[in-house]
Amino acid sequence: MGRSIMRRARLWATGTMMAAGVVGLAAAPASAWTGGNVWVNLGSWNCPAGGSVVGVYWAVDAYSSGPAGGDWGDNVIYPRVRVGAGAHNTLSYQTICKKWGWYTYRGVVGQQSLTPYKSGLSYTY
């Protein structure tokens, strides 16, 4: 009778360990992220020959990108990015600058790293 109780205890312990292992495999990773948007303001210092930013060509890794013809009208973009724990984004951009009221030229080409913890944050570059 003593062996029967020991065998049942071992079987119970083995079953419990296996169940715990399955639950551990199904758990979500600690570095989960979701999609969101952030505001990015590109200052006039991105126009090396003077003037102000009036358009931006941009992309965030292979995750999102601006319109093929550029984002025109101001110096602000609202890209879709990865947000939350483990959220790493690389914003690549090129500014289009306006000077003397009529002359436009291609400004700075740059990259910035974004690691937003929530959607709606604002960055200035």
Side-chain angles (χ1 to χ4, degrees), residues 42 46 56-58 91-95 108-112 125:
L42 296 159
N46 288 293
V56 182
Y57 293 99
W58 62 269
L91 171 67
S92 302
Y93 61 91
Q94 180 175 27
T95 59
V108 170
V109 173
Q111 283 190 330
Q112 297 293 334
Y125 301 115

Side-chain angles (χ1 to χ4, degrees), residues 20-117:
V22 170
V23 170
L25 290 175
S31 63
W33 55 265
T34 61
N37 293 79
V38 296
W39 295 100
V40 178
N41 305 293
L42 296 159
S44 59
W45 53 86
N46 288 293
C47 296
S52 59
V53 176
V54 294
V56 182
Y57 293 99
W58 62 269
V60 177
D61 303 316
Y63 187 65
S64 68
S65 63
D71 185 328
W72 291 86
D74 59 19
N75 65 329
V76 180
I77 59 176
Y78 192 59
R80 182 127 181 103
V81 296
R82 298 171 195 91
V83 176
H88 300 287
N89 304 277
T90 300
L91 171 67
S92 302
Y93 61 91
Q94 180 175 27
T95 59
I96 303 300
C97 302
K98 186 174 187 177
K99 184 176 178 179
W100 301 315
W102 55 270
Y103 174 70
T104 59
Y105 67 95
R106 292 183 180 264
V108 170
V109 173
Q111 283 190 330
Q112 297 293 334
S113 179
L114 303 171
T115 55
Y117 61 92

